[in-house]
Structures are given as C-alpha cells and as structure tokens.
Amino acid sequence: MIVYVTVGVDDIEAAERFYSAFLPALGYGLEYYHGDLCYALPVVPGQTPTHPEFYVKRPFNGASASAGNGTMIAFEASSQQQVRDLHAAALNAGGQDEGQPGFRDDYGANFFVSYLRDPQGNKIAIFSSNPNEPGRGG
C-alpha cells in the first residue's frame, strides 16, 4: 500500500494556493509540517488513517525541485461536474492546463478526466469514473 506521495516545489506559497484550490473539496485537510505542506484525509477515531497522504515539500537536499517526466498524481472526484469545477479552480490558483475535462478515447467509457500542471510543473490528474453518470458516447 502506498502511504504517502511527495512532490517537490520551490515556492511553497504558490503550491499551497494551487493545491488548496481543489484538495479540500476532495476531503483533504491541510497540515503544516516543518514549513512544508501535508494534505491528508480525515482520520475516524479508532480507525487506521486513510492513505495515501500527499506531501508538498522543498527538496531535502536543498537543490531546486524538478517535475518528473512521466510522473503524474491522480485524485478522484465524485462527479464529472466536480472534475470541471476543480480543474477551473486549480487553473485560477496558478495551475497550467494540460488537458481540459472530458473523456479520452484511450480509457474506459466512464473515465472523465482533466490534466493540470502545478506551478512547479508537476502533473496532476483529476478524474471521475462514476458509473451513474453518462459515459463517453452516451
């Protein structure tokens, strides 16, 4: 099981604007950890935490952060409309469009997705596979 995912950034404030524009709508709370950011889902008392947590940090080695080529982190939304709304919110918070919300021919008929880059260049997907909504072509 994946326990946490980390992306490196040079500008924590810009990253916080970007990620806080959509992660709270998906249930993630923000905690500050040694000047960096940790987005985590709430923990129900008496239960094990839901993973993975999502960390946004300056690189530990002090060098500049760089986005990984081929690296992408995906967050699941509850509906196609939420994908649209969160994509727009992330763009308004400094993100760059990498693919407008919609269906892609290469994926399942219910996979509705948008792609973004955070201010550092890390690639993010926001998707919904809600079977109760119209699928591609329907």
Side-chain angles (χ1 to χ4, degrees):
M1 169 174 284
I2 296 172
V3 176
Y4 64 89
V5 175
T6 301
V7 294
V9 300
D10 293 326
D11 186 338
I12 289 290
E13 292 77 22
E16 183 176 355
R17 278 191 304 278
F18 175 80
Y19 288 107
S20 292
F22 69 93
L23 286 179
L26 298 176
Y28 288 81
L30 171 60
E31 299 175 19
Y32 298 93
Y33 185 74
H34 299 286
D36 295 317
L37 311 174
C38 173
Y39 291 90
L41 295 168
V43 178
V44 177
Q47 294 201 3
T48 304
T50 303
H51 296 296
E53 291 181 342
F54 183 67
Y55 291 95
V56 181
K57 305 174 68 101
R58 293 175 187 93
F60 185 74
N61 66 3
S64 292
S66 62
N69 186 23
T71 301
M72 180 174 54
I73 295 140
F75 294 94
E76 187 171 11
S78 62
S79 68
Q80 295 169 12
Q81 188 58 52
Q82 189 177 35
V83 171
R84 287 183 195 95
D85 293 345
L86 298 181
H87 182 88
L91 290 176
N92 287 332
Q96 296 174 334
D97 181 42
E98 281 286 313
Q100 287 290 309
F103 295 103
R104 303 300 192 270
D105 290 338
D106 294 339
Y107 302 113
N110 284 38
F111 192 76
F112 189 87
V113 64
S114 72
Y115 298 101
L116 301 141
R117 296 268 178 189
D118 75 4
Q120 187 69 43
N122 296 299
K123 192 167 184 182
I124 303 296
I126 303 172
F127 76 94
S128 174
S129 294
N130 188 334
N132 298 318
E133 292 189 296
R136 181 180 61 240

